[in-house]
Amino acid sequence: MSAVRDEVGVGAPAAPAGLAGVRVRCMDCGAEHAADRPLTRCPACGGLLDALVPLDRPVRADAFGAGLPAALARSGVWRYRQLLPPLPDAAIVTRGEGNTPLYADDRLAAFAGLAPGHLELKHEGHNPTASFKDRGMTVGVSHARAVGARIVACASTGNTSASLASYAAAAGMPALVLIPEGKISGGKLAQTLAYGARVVQVAGDFDQALRLLRELTDAYDVYLVNSVNPFRLEGQKTIVFELLEQRGWRVPDVIALPGGNLGNTAAFGKALGELLRVGLIDRLPRLAVIQAAGAAPFAAYHAGGWRDYAAVVAETIATAIKIGNPASTPRARRAIEQTLGLVTTVSDDEIMEAKAAIDRAGIGCEPASAASLAGLRRLVAEGAIPPDATAVGILTGHVLKDTEAVIAYHLGDGPDGPRPGANRPLSVAADLPSLERALADALHG
Ligand code: F0G
């Protein structure tokens, strides 16, 4: 124990160079702090922190990416440097993240109950490690490098861990990852192992793993990159920047996203507020946060008029958002209030039905991502979103992130036999007549 203490250290490392203008502010007490060390809660009051971005200079949309080193100009995160904290170039660890497609598919618009051309899907599964986490990780790990951190760590439902493992490997830093044992998909575990992080399987759920890790990072000089880290959220803001730039800065009526630990919701609210402030947009879209019904403490908090917050023990097929006590709840509440946002829940069946529709359109996503479309469908059906509204749904992770869910859906039975649209493989003898029958079957569905 004491050997670890000697090696890792318990005090702040020596103040690094190049971080003079990098500061954070507490959302509760307003105290500002120099971010020349790892900070995930306010040293004065324990509140959540926001990274400060210098917005006093004019921001020109046609200048995004200009004057940057080539690797940064190519990154769909760092090209928005004018709207990010001023980290030193030398610390930046990038894998060319972002630059993800914005898809339109009228079958999916119809599925949601929206008019043709009124639904787009921003596919964050097209990031280097196949989820949106890479956008936050490039900034988080770069800040970790800038402050001279020795080791980076996270608790994760799988995507953050895969992303951290990759970016830590890029930076040549060791990474420690806590995952709830047996509760993350095989693909995400495989990525995290392959990229070389030290994986610790905790006998508990995600919420317990994060609590445990925070005890460790409070006691040791270990850099925490969960989304309580304000720099992670700075990178995730660029999902909003990029989708609006792809839309020629035309603001949709609604942006729908899944809510788990609520880091993305918080990041989206901050991004939109900043774009409004610098004049790149002239109105705010409504954020629509969709939680899985079995993991919906934020939806309950919202439905109760923000009066009583209660954590839950989470259960859902969408393991990425199986979170019962979201760490960014106060920031996410701020984002919903600021955008007159919507919060709703969807059942696991609704999630899997929406996922099957997205997959069948050739787009594909992991279960948690499909909550965006399932939630839009529900909100339109309930009349909270009119059918002629324009909406962008965020697909947070790639279809290959959770192949167990795909195989179980298509090959397994539901309570009433095969599930809607189940696509079972044919097994044929190795002769032409058998294959001809398969050909007829493929042609006629
Ligand atoms: N979608 C996917 C695919 C995710 O992996 C997550 C979060 C979310 C949605 C929810 O985003 O937490 O910002 O509200 N995954 C985290 C992880 C918790 O550890 O990978 P959020």
Side-chain angles (χ1 to χ4, degrees), residues 177-190:
V177 163
L178 271 60
I179 54 169
E181 181 153 22
K183 295 181 181 129
I184 78 168
S185 78
K188 296 172 188 177
L189 177 60

Side-chain angles (χ1 to χ4, degrees), residues 132-133 156-157 159-160 258-264 320-321 323 366 368 396:
F132 73 95
K133 304 289 180 180
S156 179
T157 57
N159 280 324
T160 302
N261 217 20
L262 299 174
N264 237 7
I321 52 173
I323 295 175
E366 66 164 289
T396 44

Side-chain angles (χ1 to χ4, degrees), residues 138-184:
T138 180
V139 183
V141 171
S142 297
H143 182 252
R145 261 235 302 220
V147 301
R150 291 274 319 276
I151 180 165
V152 282
C154 72
S156 179
T157 57
N159 280 324
T160 302
S161 59
S163 183
L164 175 62
S166 169
Y167 280 78
M173 292 171 91
L176 177 72
V177 163
L178 271 60
I179 54 169
E181 181 153 22
K183 295 181 181 129
I184 78 168

Side-chain angles (χ1 to χ4, degrees), residues 42-417:
C42 175
C45 78
L48 289 165
L49 299 166
D50 292 315
L52 294 179
V53 178
L55 296 176
D56 42 350
R57 293 164 299 207
V59 174
R60 287 190 19 226
D62 61 358
F64 285 133
L68 294 176
L72 303 196
R74 275 197 297 270
S75 160
V77 170
W78 294 103
R79 68 188 300 270
Y80 300 104
R81 194 109 181 259
Q82 296 175 79
L83 296 167
L84 298 175
L87 294 179
D89 279 10
I92 290 175
V93 184
T94 175
R95 288 203 176 284
E97 50 289 314
N99 300 306
T100 60
L102 186 63
Y103 292 127
D105 187 297
D106 283 341
R107 290 165 294 187
L108 298 179
F111 180 91
L114 292 168
H118 284 221
L119 174 69
E120 288 170 309
L121 295 169
K122 176 85 172 142
H123 207 326
E124 288 296 305
H126 291 252
N127 268 290
T129 75
S131 84
F132 73 95
K133 304 289 180 180
D134 295 338
R135 292 191 187 254
M137 208 53 72
T138 180
V139 183
V141 171
S142 297
H143 182 252
R145 261 235 302 220
V147 301
R150 291 274 319 276
I151 180 165
V152 282
C154 72
S156 179
T157 57
N159 280 324
T160 302
S161 59
S163 183
L164 175 62
S166 169
Y167 280 78
M173 292 171 91
L176 177 72
V177 163
L178 271 60
I179 54 169
E181 181 153 22
K183 295 181 181 129
I184 78 168
S185 78
K188 296 172 188 177
L189 177 60
Q191 280 184 295
T192 310
L193 294 170
Y195 299 142
R198 169 62 60 218
V199 175
V200 180
Q201 312 204 72
V202 175
D205 60 16
F206 167 83
D207 301 289
Q208 289 170 305
L210 180 55
R211 202 162 53 233
L212 181 62
L213 183 61
R214 294 201 80 171
E215 282 177 32
L216 186 81
T217 57
D218 284 345
Y220 289 92
D221 194 15
V222 171
Y223 188 99
L224 181 68
V225 293
N226 278 94
S227 55
V228 286
N229 179 322
F231 292 94
R232 269 277 310 278
L233 299 195
E234 289 302 305
Q236 289 170 208
K237 290 187 322 192
T238 64
I239 302 172
V240 168
F241 299 160
E242 197 177 274
L243 82 83
L244 286 169
E245 190 176 27
Q246 285 167 316
R247 289 176 50 85
W249 303 101
R250 281 176 302 107
V251 177
D253 297 316
V254 178
I255 297 178
L257 73 164
N261 217 20
L262 299 174
N264 237 7
T265 306
F268 282 27
K270 189 168 189 283
L272 290 165
E274 289 169 358
L275 291 178
L276 194 64
R277 199 157 134 216
V278 300
L280 283 179
I281 58 174
D282 55 11
R283 69 182 182 104
L284 293 173
R286 301 180 80 181
L287 289 180
V289 173
I290 321 299
Q291 294 207 292
F298 187 64
Y301 184 37
H302 174 258
W306 307 119
R307 271 184 297 278
D308 299 305
Y309 171 77
V312 302
V313 175
E315 188 50 60
T316 168
I317 193 168
T319 53
I321 52 173
K322 190 168 157 182
I323 295 175
N325 190 19
S328 276
T329 296
R331 288 172 175 152
R333 173 180 169 178
R334 180 178 63 183
I336 292 300
E337 288 179 329
Q338 166 202 349
T339 65
L340 302 177
L342 302 154
V343 186
T344 196
T345 62
V346 286
S347 68
D348 281 2
D349 284 349
E350 289 174 288
I351 288 175
M352 291 312 284
E353 203 186 326
K355 175 176 151 54
I358 294 165
D359 291 353
R360 188 74 177 81
I363 293 173
C365 67
E366 66 164 289
S369 309
S372 299
L373 181 64
L376 280 171
R377 182 187 216 194
R378 176 172 275 260
L379 290 166
V380 174
E382 288 172 350
I385 298 177
D388 63 350
T390 51
V392 177
I394 309 299
L395 302 181
T396 44
H398 197 275
V399 65
L400 291 177
K401 281 286 191 174
D402 193 344
T403 52
E404 295 98 323
V406 179
I407 299 295
Y409 186 88
H410 290 286
L411 271 57
D413 277 337
D416 311 315

